[in-house]
Structures are given as C-alpha cells and as structure tokens.
Amino acid sequence: MALEHAILVSLLEKPGSGYELARRFERSIGYFWTATHQQIYRVLKRMTSDGWVDVRDVQQYGRPDKKEYSVAGPGRDALGAWLQEATEPESVRHDLAVKVRGAAFGDPAALITEVERHRQAHTDRLAHYLTGEARDFGEPTAGGPLDAERELQHVVLRGGMAYERMMIAWLDDVLATLAGLDAGR
Amino acid sequence: MALEHAILVSLLEKPGSGYELARRFERSIGYFWTATHQQIYRVLKRMTSDGWVDVRDVQQYGRPDKKEYSVAGPGRDALGAWLQEATEPESVRHDLAVKVRGAAFGDPAALITEVERHRQAHTDRLAHYLTGEARDFGEPTAGGPLDAERELQHVVLRGGMAYERMMIAWLDDVLATLAGLDAGR
DNA sequence: TCTTCCTATGCACCTCGTTGCATAGCAACG
DNA sequence: CGTTGCTATGCAACGAGGTGCATAGGAAGA
C-alpha cells in the first residue's frame, strides 16, 4: 500500500489537514495517485496511532477548525525504508483497451465518440500540465544550489506530460484504425 | 467494474475455462487488465447465474476435466451496451512517481537501483511485445477483407509498445535527474 | 430568513482484489 | 512408491477502495 507513503511525501512537502490533502489528491498528487477524502481520513487516523504523523489542532476564523498533520520521525524512517524497497511495476487498468478489442464484436464506429471523449480529456490535462510547468518551472532555479525537491517535482511532471502526449498519439492511432475499419466494410 | 467485460471480450475471441482465462490474464489481456484466478472464478460464477455466459463440461484425458465458458446472448448485449457507455479515464497509480518525489526527503542516489530495475522490466516487456508483433502481425492480412479483430488487437498492442517506450524514455530522464542531483551537492 | 455553497471531519456499508489454503486428477522422475 | 509439478476449481478471510450519508461552522446572496 503506497497511499500512506504518498501522504507522507505530500505532508513533507507541506503539512496540512485531511481536507487539504484530499484537494491535493485532486490536483498534483492525484495525477499519479488517486484517493478520496474517506481513504485519507482513515489512513491519517492509522498513521497517527502508529506515530508516523503528529496532529495539531488549528483554530480558524471564518471557517471550521482543522487538524494539521505533519510527519514525525518514524514516518520519515518508514518513507526512507520504502524508497529503497523493491516495488512491483504497477498493475495497469486500461478499460479503453478492453473496449477497443471488444469493438471487434460490436460496431467499431460506435466507439469513436468514446475515444474522442478520452482524447479530449488527455488534451485538457496536457494543457493543464503545460500551464503548471510554465508557472512553477518557467524560470531557471532562483540562485543557490540545485533544489532537489523542485527538480524531482519537475521530472515527475515531465513524466505526466509524456504520458498524456503518448496517449493522445495512441488515441489518434485508434481513431484512424476505427475509421479504416468503417470505410473498409 | 470492467473485469466482466474483459472476460467477455476474451471469451468472444476464444471460449475457454477459468484456468485458461487466468493464463490469458497473465499474458496478452493482462498487459492492460490484471486479474487473479480467484477473481475470474468468482466473476464467472456470477456471470453464469446472470446468463451472460454458457458453461459446458469438457472431459479431458491426461488432465482434469474442465468447464468451458462461452458468451451467451445477454452477455453480448451487455458488452455492446458497455462499449458505448462513457467510462471515466482510468485512475492512475504510479508508485514510482511517489518515490521520485519522496526522494527529495531521503537520499536521491539510493533510488537509482530501483529506477533501473523498473527500466529493465519495461525494456523486457517491450522486447516481448515486439516479438509478439513480428509473430502475429508480421505479414499483411492473409487475403480477404480487413479483419477487424486482428486490426484492433494490433492497435492495442501498438498502444502497449508506445507506453513501454514512453516509460523507458521517462525513466532515463529520471536517472539523469537523480545523477545530476548526486553530482551537484 | 431561507437556501446554497464551501470548509472540515467522520461513520456505515458494500464491493473489489489479494492471500492463503484445500482438493483433486494425472504425469514424470528417481 | 513417494515427491514434485502442472492442470483445474474453489472456499475463507482480510484489506483496500468507493459510495452514500451525516454533522457542523460559517459565508454569501435572494
């Protein structure tokens, strides 16, 4: 289970509440690891009782109070150990690939709309990444030594962009194939 | 849940037993949808009672008898309906991306071995795909009209190859970034 | 005042997925 | 004859993940 570790990384980058974590999992972190607020609250509870994180009640004005979590020593140790642990390459789940192979037994042309919908979603996400890259990494490192955190966030973002570009190109390939089947019958 | 649909597609391509399906999920299908034999047997049971598939006892000699499953009318209908249904783009789970961002808070150099291990796995898988492509799609369609099933299987395979190539290139990017951090401190 | 919306946390329930184990037929080998 | 290994099916239990719902404070606007 890597959700715990994803939370540790996010809290090391910046301490925050369960609610704030949930929103981070809708943006930056969520592009390579998804989680609902339910999962996050549940795991934070376990991590607290395991001593991986510390909690601090924070009073707020104009909005409900919150609990701010930050990484404790044992949590940092656990993350360090996990980093060197061998993890199996993630199991893939591409329902669109299932649909494409399934189209052979239905109407291939009927799948086109769905493929175009996915292509649009990937195009949007790529545009979002590019905006974020220009905002966060547009200028060279602002003096000082290499900032490891910044460099590593950037290389992960480049991975996300490479994935979206690959998907868009593949979906174009799929659309061309579907169109070819439609024309050829 | 798309496991049912993945099984339907696999059974339409070729009827078979739960055991045979489990082995297919370790190869071709398994590259974009994973499942253990437990899941498969459980889902086949439900699909049978829902009338999506038919069962046939097959006596075998030199090995235990088996149950051969094939797709029934309602199963084919369910697949057709699902193909046109809007499916959300699959939720991604890239533990390696979590590790890369986490490396900022540990020793970036310690991650290199793990990244190289993943790179090797993707290289191996790409080589496996290329072998399969040469074997199954090396020669142009053997006469007759365009074979939809074959074309669609090929485009899915091309997607798998594009994914592996993208991952290898990204992992090289990650390795260069990690090496740069190591040299620059 | 009433409704709507956002922040913030959490419970209950259900499904999906994984692990471990059990059973059984048959083949091959020492 | 016993062990090992492959084919073939399945149960039991657990943990992960997701959906729906509940609660509660406060802001903003009709």
Side-chain angles (χ1 to χ4, degrees):
Chain A
M1 221 256 291
L3 175 55
E4 289 154 344
H5 303 105
I7 289 175
L8 286 174
V9 170
S10 190
L11 289 180
L12 281 168
E13 289 176 356
K14 188 171 166 48
S17 68
Y19 187 82
E20 284 160 357
L21 282 170
R23 282 191 306 171
R24 288 182 213 172
F25 273 84
E26 285 167 9
R27 329 176 284 102
S28 64
I29 312 271
Y31 294 136
F32 52 88
W33 202 272
T34 58
T36 63
H37 78 276
Q38 285 305 335
Q39 276 177 67
I40 292 166
Y41 283 124
R42 202 185 303 154
V43 171
L44 278 175
K45 199 173 189 176
R46 185 172 65 231
M47 290 169 79
T48 306
S49 69
D50 289 350
W52 286 23
V53 293
D54 292 324
V55 203
R56 193 170 66 91
D57 282 314
V58 177
Q59 286 185 31
Q60 299 193 116
Y61 302 96
R63 59 177 61 180
D65 297 346
K66 67 175 181 180
K67 298 183 186 174
E68 194 181 75
Y69 293 88
S70 52
V71 178
R76 193 178 269 264
D77 295 345
L79 182 64
W82 178 71
L83 286 185
Q84 288 169 74
E85 221 171 74
T87 313
E88 285 317 297
E90 55 291 332
S91 60
V92 191
R93 290 279 162 105
H94 285 286
D95 47 14
L96 207 55
V98 178
K99 285 192 178 183
V100 170
R101 273 176 77 149
F105 309 99
D107 179 12
L111 195 61
I112 290 175
T113 315
E114 173 71 350
V115 175
E116 281 170 344
R117 219 174 52 82
H118 278 253
R119 190 189 185 285
Q120 185 61 49
H122 288 287
T123 307
D124 292 347
R125 184 166 289 183
L126 177 59
H128 184 206
Y129 284 164
L130 286 167
T131 308
E133 187 185 34
R135 184 188 62 238
D136 298 336
F137 306 103
E139 303 166 11
T141 319
L146 284 172
D147 184 343
E149 190 177 329
R150 182 183 154 95
E151 285 294 317
L152 291 169
Q153 284 182 2
H154 195 184
V155 76
V156 169
L157 179 60
R158 288 200 298 275
M161 294 190 297
Y163 178 76
E164 301 306 328
R165 288 200 178 96
M166 181 276 297
M167 283 300 290
I168 292 165
W170 179 63
L171 291 174
D172 285 336
D173 188 4
V174 171
L175 286 170
T177 305
L178 290 173
L181 290 175
D182 200 40
R185 47 160 208 192
Chain B
M1 222 257 292
L3 176 56
E4 289 153 346
H5 303 105
I7 289 176
L8 285 174
V9 171
S10 191
L11 289 179
L12 281 168
E13 288 175 356
K14 187 170 167 50
S17 68
Y19 187 83
E20 283 160 357
L21 282 170
R23 281 191 304 170
R24 288 183 212 171
F25 273 83
E26 285 167 9
R27 329 177 283 104
S28 64
I29 311 271
Y31 294 137
F32 52 90
W33 203 272
T34 57
T36 63
H37 79 275
Q38 285 305 334
Q39 275 174 272
I40 292 166
Y41 282 124
R42 201 188 305 158
V43 171
L44 278 174
K45 198 173 191 177
R46 185 173 64 229
M47 289 169 79
T48 306
S49 68
D50 289 350
W52 285 23
V53 293
D54 292 325
V55 203
R56 194 169 66 90
D57 281 315
V58 177
Q59 286 185 31
Q60 300 193 115
Y61 302 95
R63 58 176 65 181
D65 297 347
K66 66 175 181 181
K67 299 181 185 175
E68 193 181 76
Y69 293 88
S70 53
V71 178
R76 195 179 269 264
D77 294 345
L79 182 64
W82 178 71
L83 286 185
Q84 287 169 75
E85 221 171 76
T87 313
E88 285 318 296
E90 55 291 331
S91 61
V92 191
R93 291 278 162 104
H94 284 287
D95 48 13
L96 208 55
V98 178
K99 285 192 177 184
V100 170
R101 273 175 78 146
F105 310 99
D107 179 11
L111 196 60
I112 290 176
T113 316
E114 173 71 349
V115 175
E116 281 171 343
R117 218 174 53 81
H118 278 253
R119 191 189 185 286
Q120 186 60 50
H122 288 287
T123 307
D124 291 348
R125 184 166 289 183
L126 177 59
H128 185 206
Y129 285 162
L130 286 166
T131 308
E133 187 185 35
R135 184 187 61 239
D136 299 335
F137 306 103
E139 303 166 13
T141 319
L146 284 171
D147 184 342
E149 190 177 329
R150 183 184 154 95
E151 285 294 317
L152 291 170
Q153 283 181 2
H154 194 184
V155 78
V156 168
L157 179 60
R158 289 200 297 275
M161 294 189 298
Y163 178 76
E164 300 307 329
R165 288 200 179 95
M166 181 275 296
M167 282 300 290
I168 292 165
W170 179 63
L171 291 174
D172 284 337
D173 189 4
V174 171
L175 286 170
T177 305
L178 290 174
L181 290 175
D182 201 40
R185 48 161 209 192

